[in-house]
């Protein structure tokens, strides 16, 4: 069961990574439509790195109490 949970965690982290990468390509009008500020966009985009992906997986695993 732990293995399945780990794969789910990784899958969710990859989806967040991909979404953050897509935020880079939004136009100002699209940003207004979704109600996101330029500062928030930059904060999310700065996490769209492999290091950010790894940090996301590790923070999720710590919140679940897994010893990674």
């Amino acid at each position: 069961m732990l293995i399945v949970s780990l794969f789910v965690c990784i899958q969710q982290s990859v989806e967040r990574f991909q979404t953050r990468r897509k935020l880079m390509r939004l136009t100002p009008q699209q940003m207004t439509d979704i109600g996101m500020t330029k500062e928030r966009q930059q904060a999310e985009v700065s996490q769209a790195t492999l290091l950010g992906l790894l940090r996301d997986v590790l923070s999720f695993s710590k919140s679940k109490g897994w010893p990674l």
Side-chain angles (χ1 to χ4, degrees):
M1 190 66 174
L2 180 63
I3 299 297
V4 172
S5 296
L6 181 60
F7 283 129
V8 168
C9 169
I10 292 170
Q11 180 183 13
Q12 290 172 346
S13 296
V14 168
E15 287 174 7
R16 281 190 290 275
F17 174 80
Q18 290 172 340
T19 301
R20 287 174 175 148
R21 299 282 297 183
K22 289 177 184 177
L23 277 174
M24 286 190 263
R25 295 185 291 274
L26 292 182
T27 65
Q29 179 62 41
Q30 290 170 322
M31 293 294 295
T32 302
D33 289 347
I34 63 171
M36 183 174 274
T37 64
K38 189 72 170 169
E39 293 81 22
R40 182 66 183 160
Q41 178 193 28
Q42 290 301 322
E44 290 294 331
V45 167
S46 70
Q47 295 179 26
T49 62
L50 290 179
L51 182 58
L53 176 65
L54 181 61
R55 232 183 270 137
D56 193 37
V57 170
L58 291 175
S59 69
F60 183 79
S61 66
K62 286 180 185 177
S63 72
K64 293 293 185 182
W66 297 341
L68 292 181

